[in-house]
Amino acid sequence: MDLTDAVLSFAVLGALLTITPGLDTALVLRAAITMGRGPAFATALGINAGALAWGAAAAVGASALLAASELGYMMLRLAGAAYMIYLGVRMIWGASRNGPEAEAQVTTATFWSTFGRGLLTNLLNPKVGAFYLAVLPQFVPANADPLSTGLLLALVHDVEGLIWFTMIILGAQAARAFLARRAVRRTVDAGTGVVLLGFGVRLGLSSR
């Protein structure tokens, strides 16, 4: 398998994983509906930055150290679970509130706050690192440099993710007149909160 075949094969796998509904998609969709296009793109960029960081770590072998360390993996897993549970509870609580305080949470969103939310959600999820550690080496040709090839593959996955998130964001914007209703936003917040809460609990209770 040469580099071109490796990139194309990984691109097919990455595309299938990207469009599979999951936590990342839920976060971007929630941001697009409740906060608008800018915060949604910031969330998407944060998620992609986290994925690229995991890809780089896998390429240089840092993820292998995490996989070999029971304590390191457990600490990262519990931190990730706590963060997801915190976000989930906060969204559910916010969806249950009425009035200007609930609206303020939407209007005060900044680029860095939404970017950081996407970034931390990925960085604190050891399952993402485990995926890159297990998959990336399978697509690195024998005569290729592991670091540069791993980074290239992670970047391909990132580009696919950004394209997918752009479609989600633009789709949400097209239906903005309906989705902007307060009842819809509260429902989306509550639903995303439940998803985050479920991911956090499952991550906290899971083993490797």
Side-chain angles (χ1 to χ4, degrees), residues 20-39:
T20 301
L23 177 60
D24 293 348
T25 298
L27 282 176
V28 173
L29 181 60
R30 181 258 176 186
I33 294 173
T34 62
M35 292 180 282
R37 182 183 301 178

mmCIF file with all atom_site columns, all heavy atoms in Angstrom, residues 20-39:
data_model
loop_
_atom_site.group_PDB
_atom_site.id
_atom_site.type_symbol
_atom_site.label_atom_id
_atom_site.label_alt_id
_atom_site.label_comp_id
_atom_site.label_asym_id
_atom_site.label_entity_id
_atom_site.label_seq_id
_atom_site.pdbx_PDB_ins_code
_atom_site.Cartn_x
_atom_site.Cartn_y
_atom_site.Cartn_z
_atom_site.occupancy
_atom_site.B_iso_or_equiv
_atom_site.pdbx_formal_charge
_atom_site.auth_seq_id
_atom_site.auth_comp_id
_atom_site.auth_asym_id
_atom_site.auth_atom_id
_atom_site.pdbx_PDB_model_num
ATOM 1   N N   . THR A 1 20 ? -21.437 9.281  11.316 1.00 0.00 ? 20 THR A N   1
ATOM 2   C CA  . THR A 1 20 ? -22.155 8.498  12.316 1.00 0.00 ? 20 THR A CA  1
ATOM 3   C C   . THR A 1 20 ? -22.580 9.414  13.458 1.00 0.00 ? 20 THR A C   1
ATOM 4   O O   . THR A 1 20 ? -21.741 10.108 14.043 1.00 0.00 ? 20 THR A O   1
ATOM 5   C CB  . THR A 1 20 ? -21.261 7.371  12.872 1.00 0.00 ? 20 THR A CB  1
ATOM 6   O OG1 . THR A 1 20 ? -20.862 6.530  11.794 1.00 0.00 ? 20 THR A OG1 1
ATOM 7   C CG2 . THR A 1 20 ? -22.021 6.547  13.913 1.00 0.00 ? 20 THR A CG2 1
ATOM 8   N N   . PRO A 1 21 ? -23.872 9.484  13.782 1.00 0.00 ? 21 PRO A N   1
ATOM 9   C CA  . PRO A 1 21 ? -24.317 10.391 14.849 1.00 0.00 ? 21 PRO A CA  1
ATOM 10  C C   . PRO A 1 21 ? -23.608 10.099 16.161 1.00 0.00 ? 21 PRO A C   1
ATOM 11  O O   . PRO A 1 21 ? -23.438 8.949  16.556 1.00 0.00 ? 21 PRO A O   1
ATOM 12  C CB  . PRO A 1 21 ? -25.824 10.085 14.953 1.00 0.00 ? 21 PRO A CB  1
ATOM 13  C CG  . PRO A 1 21 ? -26.184 9.508  13.623 1.00 0.00 ? 21 PRO A CG  1
ATOM 14  C CD  . PRO A 1 21 ? -24.976 8.736  13.175 1.00 0.00 ? 21 PRO A CD  1
ATOM 15  N N   . GLY A 1 22 ? -23.173 11.158 16.819 1.00 0.00 ? 22 GLY A N   1
ATOM 16  C CA  . GLY A 1 22 ? -22.462 10.992 18.078 1.00 0.00 ? 22 GLY A CA  1
ATOM 17  C C   . GLY A 1 22 ? -22.401 12.292 18.845 1.00 0.00 ? 22 GLY A C   1
ATOM 18  O O   . GLY A 1 22 ? -23.114 13.269 18.538 1.00 0.00 ? 22 GLY A O   1
ATOM 19  N N   . LEU A 1 23 ? -21.515 12.336 19.822 1.00 0.00 ? 23 LEU A N   1
ATOM 20  C CA  . LEU A 1 23 ? -21.412 13.486 20.710 1.00 0.00 ? 23 LEU A CA  1
ATOM 21  C C   . LEU A 1 23 ? -20.999 14.745 19.964 1.00 0.00 ? 23 LEU A C   1
ATOM 22  O O   . LEU A 1 23 ? -21.560 15.826 20.186 1.00 0.00 ? 23 LEU A O   1
ATOM 23  C CB  . LEU A 1 23 ? -20.395 13.167 21.814 1.00 0.00 ? 23 LEU A CB  1
ATOM 24  C CG  . LEU A 1 23 ? -20.091 14.270 22.818 1.00 0.00 ? 23 LEU A CG  1
ATOM 25  C CD1 . LEU A 1 23 ? -21.356 14.673 23.553 1.00 0.00 ? 23 LEU A CD1 1
ATOM 26  C CD2 . LEU A 1 23 ? -19.025 13.810 23.798 1.00 0.00 ? 23 LEU A CD2 1
ATOM 27  N N   . ASP A 1 24 ? -20.021 14.649 19.067 1.00 0.00 ? 24 ASP A N   1
ATOM 28  C CA  . ASP A 1 24 ? -19.545 15.826 18.338 1.00 0.00 ? 24 ASP A CA  1
ATOM 29  C C   . ASP A 1 24 ? -20.655 16.456 17.510 1.00 0.00 ? 24 ASP A C   1
ATOM 30  O O   . ASP A 1 24 ? -20.836 17.678 17.516 1.00 0.00 ? 24 ASP A O   1
ATOM 31  C CB  . ASP A 1 24 ? -18.376 15.442 17.428 1.00 0.00 ? 24 ASP A CB  1
ATOM 32  C CG  . ASP A 1 24 ? -17.139 15.032 18.215 1.00 0.00 ? 24 ASP A CG  1
ATOM 33  O OD1 . ASP A 1 24 ? -17.118 15.253 19.437 1.00 0.00 ? 24 ASP A OD1 1
ATOM 34  O OD2 . ASP A 1 24 ? -16.205 14.478 17.603 1.00 0.00 ? 24 ASP A OD2 1
ATOM 35  N N   . THR A 1 25 ? -21.391 15.617 16.793 1.00 0.00 ? 25 THR A N   1
ATOM 36  C CA  . THR A 1 25 ? -22.494 16.118 15.977 1.00 0.00 ? 25 THR A CA  1
ATOM 37  C C   . THR A 1 25 ? -23.543 16.802 16.845 1.00 0.00 ? 25 THR A C   1
ATOM 38  O O   . THR A 1 25 ? -24.073 17.858 16.484 1.00 0.00 ? 25 THR A O   1
ATOM 39  C CB  . THR A 1 25 ? -23.137 14.968 15.181 1.00 0.00 ? 25 THR A CB  1
ATOM 40  O OG1 . THR A 1 25 ? -22.157 14.406 14.299 1.00 0.00 ? 25 THR A OG1 1
ATOM 41  C CG2 . THR A 1 25 ? -24.313 15.464 14.357 1.00 0.00 ? 25 THR A CG2 1
ATOM 42  N N   . ALA A 1 26 ? -23.841 16.204 17.996 1.00 0.00 ? 26 ALA A N   1
ATOM 43  C CA  . ALA A 1 26 ? -24.839 16.786 18.900 1.00 0.00 ? 26 ALA A CA  1
ATOM 44  C C   . ALA A 1 26 ? -24.398 18.153 19.402 1.00 0.00 ? 26 ALA A C   1
ATOM 45  O O   . ALA A 1 26 ? -25.206 19.093 19.479 1.00 0.00 ? 26 ALA A O   1
ATOM 46  C CB  . ALA A 1 26 ? -25.084 15.837 20.074 1.00 0.00 ? 26 ALA A CB  1
ATOM 47  N N   . LEU A 1 27 ? -23.119 18.308 19.737 1.00 0.00 ? 27 LEU A N   1
ATOM 48  C CA  . LEU A 1 27 ? -22.627 19.587 20.240 1.00 0.00 ? 27 LEU A CA  1
ATOM 49  C C   . LEU A 1 27 ? -22.706 20.680 19.174 1.00 0.00 ? 27 LEU A C   1
ATOM 50  O O   . LEU A 1 27 ? -23.116 21.813 19.456 1.00 0.00 ? 27 LEU A O   1
ATOM 51  C CB  . LEU A 1 27 ? -21.178 19.435 20.713 1.00 0.00 ? 27 LEU A CB  1
ATOM 52  C CG  . LEU A 1 27 ? -20.956 18.781 22.075 1.00 0.00 ? 27 LEU A CG  1
ATOM 53  C CD1 . LEU A 1 27 ? -19.465 18.622 22.336 1.00 0.00 ? 27 LEU A CD1 1
ATOM 54  C CD2 . LEU A 1 27 ? -21.609 19.595 23.183 1.00 0.00 ? 27 LEU A CD2 1
ATOM 55  N N   . VAL A 1 28 ? -22.297 20.357 17.949 1.00 0.00 ? 28 VAL A N   1
ATOM 56  C CA  . VAL A 1 28 ? -22.321 21.348 16.876 1.00 0.00 ? 28 VAL A CA  1
ATOM 57  C C   . VAL A 1 28 ? -23.759 21.719 16.525 1.00 0.00 ? 28 VAL A C   1
ATOM 58  O O   . VAL A 1 28 ? -24.084 22.897 16.332 1.00 0.00 ? 28 VAL A O   1
ATOM 59  C CB  . VAL A 1 28 ? -21.576 20.821 15.635 1.00 0.00 ? 28 VAL A CB  1
ATOM 60  C CG1 . VAL A 1 28 ? -21.748 21.769 14.456 1.00 0.00 ? 28 VAL A CG1 1
ATOM 61  C CG2 . VAL A 1 28 ? -20.095 20.638 15.940 1.00 0.00 ? 28 VAL A CG2 1
ATOM 62  N N   . LEU A 1 29 ? -24.636 20.741 16.442 1.00 0.00 ? 29 LEU A N   1
ATOM 63  C CA  . LEU A 1 29 ? -26.036 21.018 16.125 1.00 0.00 ? 29 LEU A CA  1
ATOM 64  C C   . LEU A 1 29 ? -26.667 21.871 17.204 1.00 0.00 ? 29 LEU A C   1
ATOM 65  O O   . LEU A 1 29 ? -27.404 22.826 16.907 1.00 0.00 ? 29 LEU A O   1
ATOM 66  C CB  . LEU A 1 29 ? -26.804 19.701 15.967 1.00 0.00 ? 29 LEU A CB  1
ATOM 67  C CG  . LEU A 1 29 ? -28.286 19.821 15.604 1.00 0.00 ? 29 LEU A CG  1
ATOM 68  C CD1 . LEU A 1 29 ? -28.450 20.556 14.273 1.00 0.00 ? 29 LEU A CD1 1
ATOM 69  C CD2 . LEU A 1 29 ? -28.933 18.444 15.537 1.00 0.00 ? 29 LEU A CD2 1
ATOM 70  N N   . ARG A 1 30 ? -26.380 21.564 18.438 1.00 0.00 ? 30 ARG A N   1
ATOM 71  C CA  . ARG A 1 30 ? -26.916 22.356 19.547 1.00 0.00 ? 30 ARG A CA  1
ATOM 72  C C   . ARG A 1 30 ? -26.431 23.797 19.478 1.00 0.00 ? 30 ARG A C   1
ATOM 73  O O   . ARG A 1 30 ? -27.205 24.745 19.666 1.00 0.00 ? 30 ARG A O   1
ATOM 74  C CB  . ARG A 1 30 ? -26.516 21.696 20.856 1.00 0.00 ? 30 ARG A CB  1
ATOM 75  C CG  . ARG A 1 30 ? -27.043 22.418 22.106 1.00 0.00 ? 30 ARG A CG  1
ATOM 76  C CD  . ARG A 1 30 ? -25.983 23.238 22.773 1.00 0.00 ? 30 ARG A CD  1
ATOM 77  N NE  . ARG A 1 30 ? -26.534 23.986 23.916 1.00 0.00 ? 30 ARG A NE  1
ATOM 78  C CZ  . ARG A 1 30 ? -25.837 24.874 24.610 1.00 0.00 ? 30 ARG A CZ  1
ATOM 79  N NH1 . ARG A 1 30 ? -24.586 25.140 24.281 1.00 0.00 ? 30 ARG A NH1 1
ATOM 80  N NH2 . ARG A 1 30 ? -26.397 25.526 25.612 1.00 0.00 ? 30 ARG A NH2 1
ATOM 81  N N   . ALA A 1 31 ? -25.134 23.986 19.190 1.00 0.00 ? 31 ALA A N   1
ATOM 82  C CA  . ALA A 1 31 ? -24.594 25.343 19.083 1.00 0.00 ? 31 ALA A CA  1
ATOM 83  C C   . ALA A 1 31 ? -25.238 26.097 17.926 1.00 0.00 ? 31 ALA A C   1
ATOM 84  O O   . ALA A 1 31 ? -25.546 27.290 18.043 1.00 0.00 ? 31 ALA A O   1
ATOM 85  C CB  . ALA A 1 31 ? -23.079 25.292 18.908 1.00 0.00 ? 31 ALA A CB  1
ATOM 86  N N   . ALA A 1 32 ? -25.449 25.426 16.798 1.00 0.00 ? 32 ALA A N   1
ATOM 87  C CA  . ALA A 1 32 ? -26.051 26.087 15.635 1.00 0.00 ? 32 ALA A CA  1
ATOM 88  C C   . ALA A 1 32 ? -27.479 26.528 15.923 1.00 0.00 ? 32 ALA A C   1
ATOM 89  O O   . ALA A 1 32 ? -27.900 27.602 15.488 1.00 0.00 ? 32 ALA A O   1
ATOM 90  C CB  . ALA A 1 32 ? -26.025 25.138 14.435 1.00 0.00 ? 32 ALA A CB  1
ATOM 91  N N   . ILE A 1 33 ? -28.214 25.723 16.653 1.00 0.00 ? 33 ILE A N   1
ATOM 92  C CA  . ILE A 1 33 ? -29.620 26.019 16.916 1.00 0.00 ? 33 ILE A CA  1
ATOM 93  C C   . ILE A 1 33 ? -29.776 27.071 18.007 1.00 0.00 ? 33 ILE A C   1
ATOM 94  O O   . ILE A 1 33 ? -30.574 28.000 17.881 1.00 0.00 ? 33 ILE A O   1
ATOM 95  C CB  . ILE A 1 33 ? -30.383 24.740 17.290 1.00 0.00 ? 33 ILE A CB  1
ATOM 96  C CG1 . ILE A 1 33 ? -30.439 23.788 16.082 1.00 0.00 ? 33 ILE A CG1 1
ATOM 97  C CG2 . ILE A 1 33 ? -31.789 25.061 17.776 1.00 0.00 ? 33 ILE A CG2 1
ATOM 98  C CD1 . ILE A 1 33 ? -31.030 22.437 16.399 1.00 0.00 ? 33 ILE A CD1 1
ATOM 99  N N   . THR A 1 34 ? -29.007 26.943 19.080 1.00 0.00 ? 34 THR A N   1
ATOM 100 C CA  . THR A 1 34 ? -29.219 27.814 20.236 1.00 0.00 ? 34 THR A CA  1
ATOM 101 C C   . THR A 1 34 ? -28.377 29.079 20.214 1.00 0.00 ? 34 THR A C   1
ATOM 102 O O   . THR A 1 34 ? -28.737 30.071 20.857 1.00 0.00 ? 34 THR A O   1
ATOM 103 C CB  . THR A 1 34 ? -28.918 27.055 21.544 1.00 0.00 ? 34 THR A CB  1
ATOM 104 O OG1 . THR A 1 34 ? -27.527 26.664 21.551 1.00 0.00 ? 34 THR A OG1 1
ATOM 105 C CG2 . THR A 1 34 ? -29.783 25.819 21.662 1.00 0.00 ? 34 THR A CG2 1
ATOM 106 N N   . MET A 1 35 ? -27.240 29.077 19.478 1.00 0.00 ? 35 MET A N   1
ATOM 107 C CA  . MET A 1 35 ? -26.335 30.230 19.533 1.00 0.00 ? 35 MET A CA  1
ATOM 108 C C   . MET A 1 35 ? -26.047 30.858 18.178 1.00 0.00 ? 35 MET A C   1
ATOM 109 O O   . MET A 1 35 ? -25.577 31.983 18.103 1.00 0.00 ? 35 MET A O   1
ATOM 110 C CB  . MET A 1 35 ? -25.022 29.835 20.209 1.00 0.00 ? 35 MET A CB  1
ATOM 111 C CG  . MET A 1 35 ? -25.186 29.536 21.691 1.00 0.00 ? 35 MET A CG  1
ATOM 112 S SD  . MET A 1 35 ? -23.631 29.057 22.489 1.00 0.00 ? 35 MET A SD  1
ATOM 113 C CE  . MET A 1 35 ? -23.505 27.350 21.948 1.00 0.00 ? 35 MET A CE  1
ATOM 114 N N   . GLY A 1 36 ? -26.251 30.121 17.100 1.00 0.00 ? 36 GLY A N   1
ATOM 115 C CA  . GLY A 1 36 ? -26.018 30.704 15.787 1.00 0.00 ? 36 GLY A CA  1
ATOM 116 C C   . GLY A 1 36 ? -24.806 30.140 15.075 1.00 0.00 ? 36 GLY A C   1
ATOM 117 O O   . GLY A 1 36 ? -24.102 29.268 15.578 1.00 0.00 ? 36 GLY A O   1
ATOM 118 N N   . ARG A 1 37 ? -24.552 30.679 13.894 1.00 0.00 ? 37 ARG A N   1
ATOM 119 C CA  . ARG A 1 37 ? -23.525 30.125 13.010 1.00 0.00 ? 37 ARG A CA  1
ATOM 120 C C   . ARG A 1 37 ? -22.120 30.276 13.579 1.00 0.00 ? 37 ARG A C   1
ATOM 121 O O   . ARG A 1 37 ? -21.323 29.339 13.554 1.00 0.00 ? 37 ARG A O   1
ATOM 122 C CB  . ARG A 1 37 ? -23.608 30.818 11.649 1.00 0.00 ? 37 ARG A CB  1
ATOM 123 C CG  . ARG A 1 37 ? -22.614 30.289 10.624 1.00 0.00 ? 37 ARG A CG  1
ATOM 124 C CD  . ARG A 1 37 ? -22.705 31.061 9.313  1.00 0.00 ? 37 ARG A CD  1
ATOM 125 N NE  . ARG A 1 37 ? -24.041 30.973 8.744  1.00 0.00 ? 37 ARG A NE  1
ATOM 126 C CZ  . ARG A 1 37 ? -24.408 31.589 7.627  1.00 0.00 ? 37 ARG A CZ  1
ATOM 127 N NH1 . ARG A 1 37 ? -23.527 32.357 6.979  1.00 0.00 ? 37 ARG A NH1 1
ATOM 128 N NH2 . ARG A 1 37 ? -25.638 31.455 7.161  1.00 0.00 ? 37 ARG A NH2 1
ATOM 129 N N   . GLY A 1 38 ? -21.787 31.475 14.103 1.00 0.00 ? 38 GLY A N   1
ATOM 130 C CA  . GLY A 1 38 ? -20.430 31.710 14.608 1.00 0.00 ? 38 GLY A CA  1
ATOM 131 C C   . GLY A 1 38 ? -20.034 30.756 15.718 1.00 0.00 ? 38 GLY A C   1
ATOM 132 O O   . GLY A 1 38 ? -19.002 30.074 15.624 1.00 0.00 ? 38 GLY A O   1
ATOM 133 N N   . PRO A 1 39 ? -20.809 30.678 16.810 1.00 0.00 ? 39 PRO A N   1
ATOM 134 C CA  . PRO A 1 39 ? -20.473 29.742 17.875 1.00 0.00 ? 39 PRO A CA  1
ATOM 135 C C   . PRO A 1 39 ? -20.468 28.281 17.420 1.00 0.00 ? 39 PRO A C   1
ATOM 136 O O   . PRO A 1 39 ? -19.693 27.475 17.936 1.00 0.00 ? 39 PRO A O   1
ATOM 137 C CB  . PRO A 1 39 ? -21.583 29.986 18.912 1.00 0.00 ? 39 PRO A CB  1
ATOM 138 C CG  . PRO A 1 39 ? -22.008 31.389 18.681 1.00 0.00 ? 39 PRO A CG  1
ATOM 139 C CD  . PRO A 1 39 ? -21.919 31.579 17.197 1.00 0.00 ? 39 PRO A CD  1
#
